Amino acid sequence: MSYWLLFISAFGAATLLPLQSEAVLMTLLVQGHHDPVLLLFAASVGDVLGSCVNWWLGL
């Protein structure tokens, strides 16, 4: 569930929505209950897909 929250937060932050994915990522990292590699993967995929949506909207 936390990985999906981070993904959605990163996706929204990469689009026009004013979200803070870095705060969500740091909170999950500080908690220490999640794998840092998977957290970075979820954030990266969300950011890349969000930027693809921005590119598509710009067309």
Side-chain angles (χ1 to χ4, degrees):
M1 181 67 178
S2 298
Y3 298 108
W4 282 109
L5 174 68
L6 179 59
F7 172 81
I8 291 169
S9 174
F11 182 85
T15 60
L16 299 174
L17 301 175
L19 298 177
Q20 297 293 324
S21 63
E22 293 85 3
V24 176
L25 176 61
M26 288 306 297
T27 301
L28 293 173
L29 282 173
V30 168
Q31 286 179 351
H33 301 296
H34 307 287
D35 184 16
V37 173
L38 291 177
L39 289 174
L40 288 175
F41 179 75
S44 298
V45 170
D47 281 333
V48 168
L49 291 178
S51 65
C52 289
V53 168
N54 269 346
W55 178 79
W56 178 73
L57 288 173
L59 288 178

